[in-house]
Amino acid sequence: MSKRVLTTESGAPVADNQNSASAGAGGPLLLQDQHLLEKLARFNRERIPERVVHARGSGAYGRFEVTDDVTGFTHADFLNAIGKRTEVFVRFSTVADSLGGADAVRDPRGFAVKFYTEEGNYDLVGNNTPVFFIKDPIKFPDFIHSQKRDPFTGKQEPDNVWDFWAHAPEATHQVTWLMGDRGIPASYRHMNGYGSHTYQWTNAEGEAFFVKYHFKTDQGIRCLSAEQGAEQAGKDPNSHQTDLLQAIERGVHPSWTLYVQIMPAAEAANFRFNPFDLTKVWPHSDYPLQRVGRLVLDRNPDNVFAEVEQAAFSPNNFVPGIGPSPDKMLQGRLFAYADAHRYRLGVNHTQLAVNAPKATTAQNYGRDGLMASNAQGRHAKNYEPNSYDGPVETGRPLSAPLAVSGHTGTHEAPLHTKDDDFYQAGELYRLMSQEEKSRLIANIAGGLSQVSREDVIAKNLAHFHAADPEYGKRVEEAVRALRED
């Protein structure tokens, strides 16, 4: 069997891939050596800008299967029948560190699911925590700057981390999650995933519901202590990637059961706290979990760069029956995610294999741009409406309209009767066992005690005192003890 011929990018055969062309046996190299110049030029351009957040990631393909009837709440086609299966791609990630960071670190984890539905791709972009640090997207760049490497020292600084949190009392709930036992998952397989935001479902009759997504791991929750995490990160910085890859390769397919909480839209306005506040959870006693289906991952990508690094998730990729809510953080991300991908990957990133629809075909009037492959043929027009049988609008909105009122301008979110930045953080603390509380206190004190300014420490301590008097007292004593050593 003859071997395939190595060629240049233009398809010409390569005579010698071991030696560069030169002026004589020992002379300088020649500019005419197309193969050499092409290889070096392409090598210089192999990397693209990494994600500012969620840079370090892993991913896999699989399927989502509906197990329960939810047609009374949404007319989304991929959820319309028990037993219906939809292909998915899932990307897991750490949030704050760069592409070269370790997996086993104390950090939230991204949990993004791309459903390749028959009505287009639906991207559900969430985390492994049901809440987040802030509730307004205008604070997001500042928050991430405080968590990333300092411009002067080039490393993450406790002063920056805790100074931001000192000025963001709404972060207390997420800080309690992050510093608790679930702050370092043992693997991507052993953690839950959450949509985190509030979304809207609309049924066939036009009734609107607000929903929160919960992917519960079928493998069980497993986490690492701070000491175990440090040891794991030193032994294998790629520990979560290794675990996911090897599990799927040996036929151990990780799975999650999807549940939703469902709130009739009419109940949102008078709920005791703002249901669209990303720093809060909906109590299960108010809105119990309802099972929807099962997510299974069973195939590894063939090329991590092409399929994981270039995977582009955007929360504004909705399908009929699903839409946004007034969640301010979600509203900001509807723009920011897609814009980040246009910057990193180009305006035609949706044509890449991992991002393109699989169960349907994209048909629109987008043309040209870098790496365009959407010429459409000589008779296709790039405007609409037209007289040439081009694709047309349906006139059917994807979701129900959101009611709006009032004046334009910058507004704080309207207060509900029980809106509070600290109550749910205290509830989470009080749910913990004594051993869990002790580990939480140690994790918080370990970072807060390194802060150089006493006023920043005091502001953070006030947040923990407000969440729960015992919580605040124990953190304060632990910080004092570490600073006196």
Side-chain angles (χ1 to χ4, degrees):
M1 180 178 177
S2 60
K3 293 184 178 180
R4 291 182 296 149
V5 172
L6 176 67
T7 73
T8 64
E9 306 248 352
S10 61
V14 173
D16 191 341
N17 192 41
Q18 309 303 315
N19 302 287
S20 303
S22 60
L29 302 187
L30 300 176
L31 189 61
Q32 70 185 42
D33 190 343
Q34 180 208 5
H35 184 49
L36 169 65
L37 301 186
E38 192 172 79
K39 285 184 72 174
L40 294 179
R42 170 169 280 280
F43 180 76
N44 287 343
R45 293 161 174 80
E46 281 184 357
R47 296 295 172 262
I48 61 176
E50 69 174 45
R51 291 168 169 86
V52 177
V53 289
H54 297 280
R56 170 76 183 161
S58 302
Y61 293 94
R63 64 185 183 275
F64 177 79
E65 181 174 348
V66 178
T67 57
D68 294 78
D69 182 10
V70 292
T71 55
F73 306 106
T74 177
H75 64 90
D77 182 75
F78 77 104
L79 299 175
N80 69 4
I82 293 174
K84 187 161 190 175
R85 288 187 174 187
T86 300
E87 185 179 354
V88 300
F89 181 77
V90 178
R91 186 178 187 270
F92 308 102
S93 56
T94 54
V95 174
D97 213 342
S98 59
L99 191 58
D103 287 339
V105 294
R106 188 172 298 280
D107 197 17
R109 300 298 192 277
F111 194 107
V113 185
K114 186 180 292 292
F115 298 86
Y116 299 102
T117 89
E118 295 173 10
E119 295 181 300
N121 291 350
Y122 172 45
D123 290 352
L124 181 56
V125 183
N127 285 330
N128 72 327
T129 59
V131 293
F132 196 61
F133 298 94
I134 54 176
K135 61 180 84 172
D136 193 302
I138 203 166
K139 300 175 73 169
F140 188 73
D142 300 293
F143 165 63
I144 294 300
H145 288 166
S146 74
Q147 310 296 301
K148 300 284 277 188
R149 297 177 186 270
D150 182 86
F152 170 63
T153 67
K155 60 189 182 71
Q156 192 179 52
E157 291 292 344
D159 274 357
N160 300 348
V161 171
W162 289 95
D163 186 36
F164 183 89
W165 288 341
H167 292 88
E170 71 269 27
T172 308
H173 193 185
Q174 173 72 320
V175 170
T176 304
W177 269 89
L178 179 62
M179 296 298 173
D181 281 358
R182 295 194 182 186
I184 312 177
S187 79
Y188 290 132
R189 295 183 298 128
H190 294 91
M191 69 181 194
N192 291 340
Y194 301 89
S196 301
H197 296 289
T198 301
Y199 295 89
Q200 186 205 74
W201 277 6
T202 309
N203 66 17
E205 288 70 43
E207 295 176 290
F209 303 85
F210 292 118
V211 301
K212 282 186 176 289
Y213 295 90
H214 301 248
F215 290 90
K216 299 288 189 178
T217 174
D218 296 328
Q219 290 71 235
I221 296 288
R222 282 184 51 204
C223 302
L224 303 176
S225 67
E227 295 76 19
Q228 290 171 326
E231 181 181 1
Q232 184 68 268
K235 284 183 176 178
D236 179 9
N238 308 299
S239 57
H240 288 27
Q241 163 70 9
T242 301
D243 176 85
L244 181 66
L245 175 75
Q246 292 183 351
I248 293 175
E249 286 297 292
R250 66 176 185 268
V252 178
H253 299 154
S255 65
W256 290 260
T257 300
L258 173 61
Y259 299 86
V260 292
Q261 291 177 283
I262 300 177
M263 174 188 291
E267 297 181 13
N270 297 315
F271 194 62
R272 61 183 180 276
F273 60 82
N274 181 1
F276 310 116
D277 182 346
L278 186 55
T279 68
K280 294 181 174 64
V281 298
W282 296 355
H284 292 185
S285 57
D286 292 303
Y287 300 101
L289 296 179
Q290 302 187 45
R291 193 176 66 174
V292 179
R294 188 164 180 257
L295 172 71
V296 180
L297 300 182
D298 57 13
R299 179 166 66 88
N300 283 311
D302 293 322
N303 184 288
V304 171
F305 176 81
E307 298 166 88
V308 179
E309 185 64 13
Q310 292 194 127
F313 298 84
S314 179
N316 64 359
N317 287 342
F318 292 113
V319 292
I322 303 177
S325 78
D327 179 339
K328 283 189 173 184
M329 283 295 293
L330 173 59
Q331 292 283 325
R333 284 174 168 157
L334 297 181
F335 163 76
Y337 274 61
D339 189 58
H341 302 317
R342 294 184 191 106
Y343 162 66
R344 294 182 62 247
L345 303 169
V347 72
N348 289 309
H349 67 273
T350 55
Q351 298 171 39
L352 296 171
V354 70
N355 299 321
K358 295 183 183 297
T360 186
T361 302
Q363 300 184 85
N364 54 56
Y365 295 92
R367 298 290 187 274
D368 307 335
L370 192 67
M371 301 297 291
S373 60
N374 53 358
Q376 305 281 327
R378 68 174 64 183
H379 299 298
K381 303 303 179 183
N382 65 344
Y383 58 88
E384 198 276 335
N386 63 62
S387 304
Y388 295 86
D389 199 29
V392 297
E393 62 193 19
T394 67
R396 298 189 300 273
L398 300 187
S399 57
L402 298 172
V404 296
S405 64
H407 301 281
T408 61
T410 58
H411 303 280
E412 292 186 7
L415 288 177
H416 292 229
T417 57
K418 297 291 184 181
D419 268 328
D420 179 274
D421 287 329
F422 307 110
Y423 178 77
Q424 289 199 352
E427 285 284 274
L428 179 58
Y429 175 80
R430 290 184 286 274
L431 284 173
M432 296 180 181
S433 68
Q434 288 303 317
E435 293 77 13
E436 289 173 324
K437 289 178 179 177
S438 295
R439 290 189 291 269
L440 169 68
I441 301 303
N443 291 333
I444 292 174
L448 189 54
S449 63
Q450 299 177 53
V451 174
S452 62
R453 292 181 51 145
E454 293 293 339
D455 61 326
V456 173
I457 294 176
K459 288 176 181 176
N460 279 285
L461 290 175
H463 297 166
F464 300 122
H465 279 288
D468 184 274
E470 177 195 289
Y471 188 8
K473 182 173 181 287
R474 291 185 64 180
V475 173
E476 185 171 357
E477 291 174 347
V479 170
R480 184 186 306 117
L482 289 172
R483 289 176 73 80
E484 289 174 351
D485 283 349

